Amino acid sequence: MLFDTHVHINDEAFKEDLEATIARARAAGVEKMIVVGFDRPTIQKAMALIDQYPFLYAAIGWHPVDAIDMKDEDLDWIESLAHHPKVVAIGEIGLDYHWDKSPKEVQQEVFRRQIRLAKKLDLPIIIHNREATEDCVQILKEENAQEAGGIMHCFSGSPETAKECIKMNFYISLGGPVTFKNAKKPKEVAAEVPLEKLLVETDCPYLAPHPYRGKRNEPAYVKLVAEQIAEIKGIPFEKVAEQTMLNAEKLFRIKDHA
Ligand SMILES: [Zn+2]
């Protein structure tokens, strides 16, 4: 019983074999998933999927890379869709300084507006942070994001940063990179962060875990992430699966819609 807290099965990469992909996930024990939409087309597709499959939930938001394109109408649209009972978070939102399509100031403003929206809607947030940890933590503090809480998605920072985020009411979500042989920091985070504050995800189709690194990722592989965490912590896989499921259900306030 696994909960993949970050999938993009609404991506073009799954256009040809979405049903088979979902079937493989279910066969691998993936009981629930959060489908993340981050622009008009992927949000629309996420909304359709949560109506179609009882075990899928959605997170919707505007991606920092495309912050420059977000109009007021887009934010209003996200707000109206967020009233759907199976939209359980605002995200992914945050900062991405790796790509320079959107200037930092624009990204920061779009990030702040969406944190405020999540607080207004009483929903948790899913944070995308790439090469912007300092500004990201600063904004979370300034906007009092603690009230919303949420997830540091595909966390790649240090155990110290993880602890700082946990203090602000965030869970730390680990993905494929924790399985990479040279991934020192994610392995340290897996070892040091208490299981009660960890989540598992794939971020598929990106970041496939070992031994699929470089290939298309899919939700079934979240099992490899959970197995790696179990190995690092020296505890049974079932314990990791069970606790990360409980953590996700608590954060997203999912009782049993399925
Ligand atoms: Zn993502």
Side-chain angles (χ1 to χ4, degrees):
M1 278 168 54
L2 290 154
F3 196 137
D4 189 341
T5 61
H6 201 110
V7 304
H8 298 285
I9 53 173
N10 46 346
D11 188 277
E12 290 280 297
F14 296 103
K15 218 171 126 185
E16 304 296 327
D17 63 346
L18 178 60
E19 266 182 56
T21 301
I22 291 174
R24 281 193 297 275
R26 303 286 285 169
V30 181
E31 196 179 287
K32 296 183 174 90
M33 307 174 217
I34 302 292
V35 184
V36 181
F38 53 58
D39 59 14
R40 285 259 172 189
T42 58
I43 289 172
Q44 253 150 5
K45 181 75 179 165
M47 296 306 294
L49 286 171
I50 59 174
D51 282 334
Q52 198 181 343
Y53 295 95
F55 47 87
L56 297 181
Y57 300 83
I60 59 174
W62 206 264
H63 202 282
V65 169
D66 302 320
I68 192 92
D69 301 325
M70 194 189 83
K71 299 180 185 65
D72 291 347
E73 306 90 274
D74 295 318
L75 198 58
D76 293 342
W77 180 65
I78 288 169
E79 178 169 0
S80 66
L81 294 178
H83 293 292
H84 188 298
K86 291 180 80 192
V87 172
V88 294
I90 297 297
E92 56 194 295
I93 61 174
L95 301 173
D96 192 321
Y97 293 171
H98 182 76
W99 305 106
D100 55 10
K101 178 185 168 188
S102 301
K104 288 181 183 179
E105 306 71 49
V106 177
Q107 290 193 33
Q108 291 168 9
E109 185 54 27
V110 165
F111 185 25
R112 286 180 192 276
R113 290 178 75 186
Q114 294 185 96
I115 297 171
R116 288 171 203 157
L117 174 63
K119 285 166 67 178
K120 179 179 159 190
L121 295 168
D122 195 23
L123 287 173
I125 54 182
I126 298 178
I127 305 295
H128 171 106
N129 162 36
R130 193 166 180 195
E131 297 166 24
T133 303
E134 209 177 306
D135 288 356
C136 187
V137 170
Q138 169 97 14
I139 288 173
L140 290 173
K141 280 183 184 156
E142 285 175 7
E143 295 294 332
N144 201 12
Q146 186 159 353
E147 279 176 31
I151 300 181
M152 303 307 290
H153 133 70
C154 203
F155 187 78
S156 60
S158 65
E160 289 68 37
T161 307
K163 280 165 199 163
E164 203 174 349
C165 296
I166 290 166
K167 266 192 225 147
M168 288 191 289
N169 200 18
F170 281 80
Y171 287 85
I172 305 299
S173 186
L174 293 173
V178 76
T179 68
F180 300 166
K181 290 204 165 51
N182 56 356
K184 195 164 160 272
K185 277 200 279 182
K187 288 187 200 295
E188 285 172 4
V189 167
E192 289 187 36
V193 170
L195 192 56
E196 288 68 30
K197 290 293 167 189
L198 281 181
L199 296 170
V200 289
E201 64 169 84
T202 54
D203 198 19
C204 63
Y206 315 105
L207 293 170
H210 176 78
Y212 303 105
R213 191 172 184 176
K215 304 217 167 70
R216 183 184 73 168
N217 197 2
E218 63 174 70
Y221 300 164
V222 77
K223 193 170 183 211
L224 297 165
V225 174
E227 282 173 349
Q228 179 70 74
I229 294 171
E231 195 186 316
I232 291 170
K233 285 195 172 300
I235 56 176
F237 161 77
E238 290 74 19
K239 179 76 195 142
V240 174
E242 185 189 353
Q243 187 61 50
T244 52
M245 169 69 76
L246 287 173
N247 295 346
E249 287 179 335
K250 185 178 166 200
L251 173 66
F252 296 122
R253 296 172 215 154
I254 291 171
K255 293 281 188 308
D256 214 326
H257 295 85

mmCIF file of all heavy atoms in Angstrom, residues 217-237:
data_model
loop_
_atom_site.group_PDB
_atom_site.id
_atom_site.type_symbol
_atom_site.label_atom_id
_atom_site.label_comp_id
_atom_site.label_asym_id
_atom_site.label_seq_id
_atom_site.Cartn_x
_atom_site.Cartn_y
_atom_site.Cartn_z
ATOM 1 N N ASN A 217 9.964 7.598 -16.174
ATOM 2 C CA ASN A 217 9.554 7.156 -14.845
ATOM 3 C C ASN A 217 8.050 6.894 -14.845
ATOM 4 O O ASN A 217 7.327 7.450 -15.668
ATOM 5 C CB ASN A 217 9.905 8.249 -13.830
ATOM 6 C CG ASN A 217 9.918 7.765 -12.391
ATOM 7 O OD1 ASN A 217 9.700 6.587 -12.117
ATOM 8 N ND2 ASN A 217 10.179 8.685 -11.481
ATOM 9 N N GLU A 218 7.564 6.066 -13.917
ATOM 10 C CA GLU A 218 6.125 5.819 -13.782
ATOM 11 C C GLU A 218 5.798 5.477 -12.334
ATOM 12 O O GLU A 218 6.686 5.077 -11.571
ATOM 13 C CB GLU A 218 5.676 4.726 -14.744
ATOM 14 C CG GLU A 218 6.311 3.353 -14.500
ATOM 15 C CD GLU A 218 5.678 2.302 -15.413
ATOM 16 O OE1 GLU A 218 5.915 2.370 -16.622
ATOM 17 O OE2 GLU A 218 4.939 1.444 -14.887
ATOM 18 N N PRO A 219 4.514 5.643 -11.934
ATOM 19 C CA PRO A 219 4.154 5.504 -10.518
ATOM 20 C C PRO A 219 4.536 4.153 -9.891
ATOM 21 O O PRO A 219 4.842 4.103 -8.691
ATOM 22 C CB PRO A 219 2.635 5.692 -10.510
ATOM 23 C CG PRO A 219 2.321 6.460 -11.745
ATOM 24 C CD PRO A 219 3.364 6.087 -12.753
ATOM 25 N N ALA A 220 4.540 3.070 -10.667
ATOM 26 C CA ALA A 220 4.883 1.749 -10.109
ATOM 27 C C ALA A 220 6.265 1.770 -9.455
ATOM 28 O O ALA A 220 6.519 1.031 -8.501
ATOM 29 C CB ALA A 220 4.844 0.684 -11.209
ATOM 30 N N TYR A 221 7.149 2.624 -9.950
ATOM 31 C CA TYR A 221 8.531 2.655 -9.437
ATOM 32 C C TYR A 221 8.652 3.331 -8.071
ATOM 33 O O TYR A 221 9.739 3.341 -7.480
ATOM 34 C CB TYR A 221 9.457 3.374 -10.422
ATOM 35 C CG TYR A 221 9.554 2.772 -11.799
ATOM 36 C CD1 TYR A 221 10.091 3.503 -12.854
ATOM 37 C CD2 TYR A 221 9.112 1.469 -12.059
ATOM 38 C CE1 TYR A 221 10.189 2.963 -14.138
ATOM 39 C CE2 TYR A 221 9.199 0.929 -13.335
ATOM 40 C CZ TYR A 221 9.745 1.680 -14.369
ATOM 41 O OH TYR A 221 9.836 1.149 -15.624
ATOM 42 N N VAL A 222 7.568 3.892 -7.543
ATOM 43 C CA VAL A 222 7.641 4.514 -6.215
ATOM 44 C C VAL A 222 8.031 3.461 -5.168
ATOM 45 O O VAL A 222 8.591 3.767 -4.118
ATOM 46 C CB VAL A 222 6.314 5.236 -5.854
ATOM 47 C CG1 VAL A 222 5.229 4.255 -5.436
ATOM 48 C CG2 VAL A 222 6.551 6.267 -4.747
ATOM 49 N N LYS A 223 7.746 2.208 -5.489
ATOM 50 C CA LYS A 223 8.131 1.104 -4.618
ATOM 51 C C LYS A 223 9.648 1.074 -4.398
ATOM 52 O O LYS A 223 10.120 0.800 -3.294
ATOM 53 C CB LYS A 223 7.659 -0.215 -5.243
ATOM 54 C CG LYS A 223 7.719 -1.370 -4.303
ATOM 55 C CD LYS A 223 7.037 -2.609 -4.835
ATOM 56 C CE LYS A 223 7.104 -3.691 -3.769
ATOM 57 N NZ LYS A 223 7.172 -5.027 -4.333
ATOM 58 N N LEU A 224 10.395 1.367 -5.453
ATOM 59 C CA LEU A 224 11.864 1.360 -5.356
ATOM 60 C C LEU A 224 12.352 2.461 -4.419
ATOM 61 O O LEU A 224 13.349 2.299 -3.710
ATOM 62 C CB LEU A 224 12.483 1.545 -6.748
ATOM 63 C CG LEU A 224 12.184 0.424 -7.750
ATOM 64 C CD1 LEU A 224 12.511 0.856 -9.171
ATOM 65 C CD2 LEU A 224 12.955 -0.837 -7.380
ATOM 66 N N VAL A 225 11.642 3.579 -4.413
ATOM 67 C CA VAL A 225 11.987 4.697 -3.526
ATOM 68 C C VAL A 225 11.743 4.282 -2.068
ATOM 69 O O VAL A 225 12.599 4.471 -1.204
ATOM 70 C CB VAL A 225 11.162 5.956 -3.882
ATOM 71 C CG1 VAL A 225 11.407 7.073 -2.878
ATOM 72 C CG2 VAL A 225 11.486 6.423 -5.306
ATOM 73 N N ALA A 226 10.587 3.697 -1.819
ATOM 74 C CA ALA A 226 10.245 3.263 -0.454
ATOM 75 C C ALA A 226 11.196 2.166 0.020
ATOM 76 O O ALA A 226 11.606 2.147 1.182
ATOM 77 C CB ALA A 226 8.798 2.782 -0.403
ATOM 78 N N GLU A 227 11.566 1.256 -0.889
ATOM 79 C CA GLU A 227 12.507 0.178 -0.521
ATOM 80 C C GLU A 227 13.867 0.744 -0.132
ATOM 81 O O GLU A 227 14.505 0.284 0.806
ATOM 82 C CB GLU A 227 12.657 -0.807 -1.698
ATOM 83 C CG GLU A 227 11.485 -1.766 -1.820
ATOM 84 C CD GLU A 227 11.527 -2.629 -3.073
ATOM 85 O OE1 GLU A 227 12.350 -2.362 -3.978
ATOM 86 O OE2 GLU A 227 10.712 -3.564 -3.155
ATOM 87 N N GLN A 228 14.296 1.776 -0.868
ATOM 88 C CA GLN A 228 15.594 2.393 -0.574
ATOM 89 C C GLN A 228 15.581 3.066 0.795
ATOM 90 O O GLN A 228 16.528 2.960 1.569
ATOM 91 C CB GLN A 228 15.930 3.419 -1.669
ATOM 92 C CG GLN A 228 17.237 4.133 -1.444
ATOM 93 C CD GLN A 228 18.444 3.224 -1.647
ATOM 94 O OE1 GLN A 228 18.807 2.884 -2.763
ATOM 95 N NE2 GLN A 228 19.054 2.811 -0.549
ATOM 96 N N ILE A 229 14.492 3.754 1.107
ATOM 97 C CA ILE A 229 14.370 4.409 2.416
ATOM 98 C C ILE A 229 14.387 3.350 3.525
ATOM 99 O O ILE A 229 15.049 3.518 4.553
ATOM 100 C CB ILE A 229 13.084 5.268 2.484
ATOM 101 C CG1 ILE A 229 13.190 6.441 1.497
ATOM 102 C CG2 ILE A 229 12.837 5.781 3.903
ATOM 103 C CD1 ILE A 229 11.901 7.223 1.318
ATOM 104 N N ALA A 230 13.676 2.249 3.298
ATOM 105 C CA ALA A 230 13.639 1.160 4.288
ATOM 106 C C ALA A 230 15.049 0.617 4.532
ATOM 107 O O ALA A 230 15.461 0.398 5.678
ATOM 108 C CB ALA A 230 12.709 0.040 3.807
ATOM 109 N N GLU A 231 15.786 0.447 3.441
ATOM 110 C CA GLU A 231 17.151 -0.084 3.557
ATOM 111 C C GLU A 231 18.049 0.890 4.342
ATOM 112 O O GLU A 231 18.790 0.488 5.224
ATOM 113 C CB GLU A 231 17.711 -0.321 2.154
ATOM 114 C CG GLU A 231 18.953 -1.190 2.150
ATOM 115 C CD GLU A 231 19.568 -1.295 0.753
ATOM 116 O OE1 GLU A 231 18.804 -1.485 -0.223
ATOM 117 O OE2 GLU A 231 20.800 -1.151 0.652
ATOM 118 N N ILE A 232 17.947 2.177 4.013
ATOM 119 C CA ILE A 232 18.769 3.188 4.693
ATOM 120 C C ILE A 232 18.434 3.253 6.182
ATOM 121 O O ILE A 232 19.317 3.348 7.026
ATOM 122 C CB ILE A 232 18.587 4.575 4.028
ATOM 123 C CG1 ILE A 232 19.219 4.580 2.632
ATOM 124 C CG2 ILE A 232 19.191 5.685 4.897
ATOM 125 C CD1 ILE A 232 18.886 5.804 1.789
ATOM 126 N N LYS A 233 17.142 3.191 6.496
ATOM 127 C CA LYS A 233 16.728 3.288 7.896
ATOM 128 C C LYS A 233 16.851 1.962 8.643
ATOM 129 O O LYS A 233 16.733 1.922 9.870
ATOM 130 C CB LYS A 233 15.281 3.789 7.987
ATOM 131 C CG LYS A 233 15.127 5.283 7.700
ATOM 132 C CD LYS A 233 13.754 5.766 8.161
ATOM 133 C CE LYS A 233 13.589 7.273 8.090
ATOM 134 N NZ LYS A 233 14.533 8.053 8.903
ATOM 135 N N GLY A 234 17.051 0.887 7.887
ATOM 136 C CA GLY A 234 17.149 -0.423 8.509
ATOM 137 C C GLY A 234 15.851 -0.888 9.131
ATOM 138 O O GLY A 234 15.811 -1.471 10.218
ATOM 139 N N ILE A 235 14.748 -0.588 8.440
ATOM 140 C CA ILE A 235 13.421 -1.004 8.919
ATOM 141 C C ILE A 235 12.694 -1.725 7.780
ATOM 142 O O ILE A 235 13.095 -1.604 6.621
ATOM 143 C CB ILE A 235 12.577 0.211 9.410
ATOM 144 C CG1 ILE A 235 12.452 1.275 8.293
ATOM 145 C CG2 ILE A 235 13.207 0.842 10.659
ATOM 146 C CD1 ILE A 235 11.565 2.447 8.648
ATOM 147 N N PRO A 236 11.610 -2.461 8.086
ATOM 148 C CA PRO A 236 10.917 -3.189 7.015
ATOM 149 C C PRO A 236 10.260 -2.239 6.007
ATOM 150 O O PRO A 236 9.788 -1.163 6.380
ATOM 151 C CB PRO A 236 9.837 -4.003 7.747
ATOM 152 C CG PRO A 236 10.185 -3.955 9.188
ATOM 153 C CD PRO A 236 11.005 -2.720 9.403
ATOM 154 N N PHE A 237 10.236 -2.664 4.752
ATOM 155 C CA PHE A 237 9.574 -1.902 3.692
ATOM 156 C C PHE A 237 8.116 -1.589 4.057
ATOM 157 O O PHE A 237 7.636 -0.478 3.837
ATOM 158 C CB PHE A 237 9.639 -2.704 2.380
ATOM 159 C CG PHE A 237 8.628 -2.266 1.360
ATOM 160 C CD1 PHE A 237 8.825 -1.111 0.621
ATOM 161 C CD2 PHE A 237 7.463 -3.006 1.154
ATOM 162 C CE1 PHE A 237 7.882 -0.694 -0.311
ATOM 163 C CE2 PHE A 237 6.518 -2.590 0.232
ATOM 164 C CZ PHE A 237 6.727 -1.433 -0.504
#
